[in-house]
Amino acid sequence: MTTHNEQLFNDSQKLIPGGVNSPVRAFRSVGGTPLFFKRGKGAYVWDADDKKYIDYVNSWGPMIVGHCHPEVVKAVQDAAAEGLGFGAPTAAELDIAQMLCKILPSLEMVRLVSSGTEATMTAIRLARGFTSRSRIIKFEGCYHGHSDGLLVKAGSGALTFGQPSSSGVPTEIAALTTVLDYNDAAGLEKAFAEYGDEIAAVIVEPVAGNMNLILPKRDFLDAMRSLCTKHGSVLILDEVMSGFRVGLQGAHGHFGIKPDLITLGKVMGGGLPAAAFGGRRDIMQCLAPLGAVYQAGTLSGNPVAVAAGLTTLKLVQAPGFYERLTQLTKQMTEGLTQVAKKHGIAFSAQSIGSMFGLYFSANVPTSYAEVMAADKEAFNRFFHAMLDEGVYLAPSAFEAGFVSSAHTEADIAATIAAADKIFAGWK
Ligand code: KE4
């Protein structure tokens, strides 16, 4: 008997490439039929066949206060009742700009956009305009959205598909992007020694979440900061995912590294299309209409999306919010590690703030190469077995997971119990 998910997927594939509006949703990496969700509430989502799951994807990060938080929904309803969009400035955009600059002192100025891709694409253009240079440095396995120059050995969906570079990107553009190894300070120093004064920007996920979760090494971050300062290159910290997830001040606040520009998204939109980039005033003032670097957006600062983001940003500043979330996430990764060990499974896990990584490898990976060496097939098997147990993990071995403030100790215990049952029967 065809399930509703299967029927929806069959029909969607006739009109939408791969049946999805973003590749990683297609389950091509893990196999099987993608889930079509119909409802979310708190820590839970329900698919088209009314099966309930504990959700650890959180819409790929945004739903840090859980699905349909009443205060977020009300703020959206109230804003929508006043207007869905004006293409003109609104007071709410000033409110969220003030909120972002208060939370993140490195933000002297900020510009709102509608997606993380727009944020990173524009930050790169801004760095090139500010420095009058063209070359950029990124790191293999890091994903910064799908603008041409950044789809070179990207992570997330591109990595999942095993096509590290996308077709359709002109070689002339890809040639301006140097791809180095994440956490390799020596490699970065060598690149700067060779052509440091040609480098417009270094863009990095200060905590990598698109090749599964990889934490930065101290010397890697320190080298990046000092080399960019020495050579007049712009350090862009892409905190679209790690921002407000690692902690209130993101990865750069956690590790104490000062960016020149930061890109933000996901949590700051509360699930709706709001993202941003910002940083040093002298760089941001190069942006139109003040300066010669052009960027624009019909929906930038959309009042309904801003209402969702602003309310979410207020909620995450509640006393003890991150302490509880960090503890709950750690409890889960430690619990999963213990049950895997009990059953002799080569498995490891780690967390930082409300982000976590699960790996079918004996040790936690610290590099792209180590992530790629983990047992992807074992992950895919675990993913489907957890789905059967009502636990929704990211449908790819190359994605980080997320816990929300709506998750309870009971949800974490149920997740660990599900893994224990699966590993007990693991041959
Ligand atoms: P969007 O254009 O998808 O809003 O943001 C792009 C982006 C930029 N930078 C980082 C660090 C990101 O993680 C992302 C998007 N993340 C992926 C999930 N790993 C989005 C999910 C998807 O592509 O469907």
Side-chain angles (χ1 to χ4, degrees):
M1 200 268 278
T2 305
T3 66
H4 286 123
N5 268 315
E6 287 163 346
Q7 189 56 54
L8 284 167
F9 188 46
N10 291 341
D11 295 346
S12 298
Q13 288 180 90
K14 294 171 189 145
L15 299 176
I16 305 168
V20 294
N21 286 308
S22 196
V24 73
R25 304 175 187 175
F27 276 32
R28 301 289 280 264
S29 177
V30 292
T33 301
L35 299 181
F36 282 66
F37 291 125
K38 61 193 289 190
R39 187 164 73 90
K41 184 67 183 162
Y44 315 119
V45 286
W46 286 261
D47 71 13
D49 294 293
D50 280 324
K51 182 174 168 67
K52 178 182 177 184
Y53 302 87
I54 303 172
D55 175 25
Y56 289 107
V57 179
N58 287 196
S59 185
W60 301 101
M63 313 319 286
I64 195 168
V65 294
H67 293 278
C68 290
H69 188 290
E71 290 182 54
V72 178
V73 173
K74 183 167 184 322
V76 165
Q77 289 169 332
D78 292 350
E82 297 302 311
L84 298 175
F86 305 100
T90 60
E93 291 160 76
L94 175 58
D95 293 342
I96 200 167
Q98 288 172 331
M99 173 76 77
L100 289 169
C101 295
K102 175 174 78 83
I103 295 173
L104 302 173
S106 300
L107 281 184
E108 294 175 345
M109 296 193 94
V110 64
R111 169 68 58 89
L112 298 180
V113 291
S114 301
S115 72
T117 293
E118 269 192 279
T120 57
M121 173 180 73
T122 314
I124 294 288
R125 184 180 309 131
L126 192 50
R128 285 172 163 158
F130 178 71
T131 60
S132 302
R133 301 174 185 174
S134 300
R135 181 158 299 285
I136 60 171
I137 286 180
K138 74 175 290 288
F139 301 91
E140 187 165 26
C142 285
Y143 176 70
H144 304 289
H146 61 89
S147 63
D148 280 352
L150 290 171
L151 269 183
V152 181
K153 289 191 177 181
S156 185
L159 184 63
T160 300
F161 282 84
Q163 300 162 1
S165 302
S166 169
S167 61
V169 174
T171 48
E172 296 83 349
I173 291 179
L176 293 173
T177 304
T178 295
V179 183
L180 301 176
D181 290 337
Y182 194 83
N183 272 336
D184 178 6
L188 191 60
E189 278 152 11
K190 186 169 179 292
F192 268 93
E194 280 177 34
Y195 42 82
D197 297 341
E198 295 171 37
I199 296 169
V202 172
I203 185 166
V204 69
E205 292 180 60
V207 162
N210 286 287
M211 50 174 141
N212 209 317
L213 175 67
I214 298 291
L215 300 188
K217 290 180 179 170
R218 185 75 254 177
D219 67 336
F220 178 60
L221 293 178
D222 291 343
M224 200 175 297
R225 179 61 280 173
S226 60
L227 289 163
C228 282
T229 302
K230 180 181 173 189
H231 292 272
S233 307
V234 176
L235 177 55
I236 303 170
L237 296 185
D238 179 358
E239 295 242 42
V240 166
M241 180 190 284
S242 52
F244 315 109
R245 273 284 174 184
V246 167
L248 181 60
Q249 294 191 323
H252 74 279
H254 181 92
F255 289 102
I257 176 165
K258 186 164 175 43
D260 297 312
L261 292 178
I262 309 171
T263 53
L264 300 163
K266 296 181 190 276
V267 166
M268 69 156 278
L272 297 192
F277 62 96
R280 278 170 43 189
R281 184 177 295 275
D282 60 333
I283 301 176
M284 291 297 286
Q285 287 183 330
C286 297
L287 204 57
L290 291 182
V293 177
Y294 195 72
Q295 174 272 334
T298 302
L299 303 179
S300 296
N302 173 275
V304 180
V306 167
L310 200 52
T311 307
T312 300
L313 291 177
K314 286 173 185 166
L315 289 167
V316 302
Q317 294 179 73
F321 181 89
Y322 283 100
E323 288 74 11
R324 176 181 175 272
L325 199 44
T326 298
Q327 176 50 34
L328 211 52
T329 311
K330 193 166 186 291
Q331 203 176 305
M332 186 179 75
T333 52
E334 288 177 348
L336 292 175
T337 303
Q338 278 158 17
V339 296
K341 189 168 190 248
K342 181 174 77 173
H343 297 292
I345 312 280
F347 174 93
S348 54
Q350 67 177 340
S351 68
I352 182 167
S354 58
M355 293 175 68
F356 65 86
L358 309 179
Y359 321 89
F360 280 84
S361 58
N363 302 306
V364 169
T366 62
S367 70
Y368 170 81
E370 288 174 15
V371 165
M372 296 308 284
D375 187 341
K376 179 176 166 238
E377 294 321 311
F379 172 83
N380 293 350
R381 182 178 157 202
F382 182 65
F383 169 80
H384 283 286
M386 288 291 261
L387 273 194
D388 294 344
E389 296 297 324
V391 177
Y392 180 54
L393 298 170
S396 163
F398 306 111
E399 296 284 355
F402 307 94
V403 177
S404 82
S405 56
H407 284 75
T408 63
E409 306 265 349
D411 295 320
I412 301 302
T415 303
I416 295 165
D420 193 10
K421 175 184 169 189
I422 293 164
F423 286 148
W426 197 267
K427 294 179 194 48

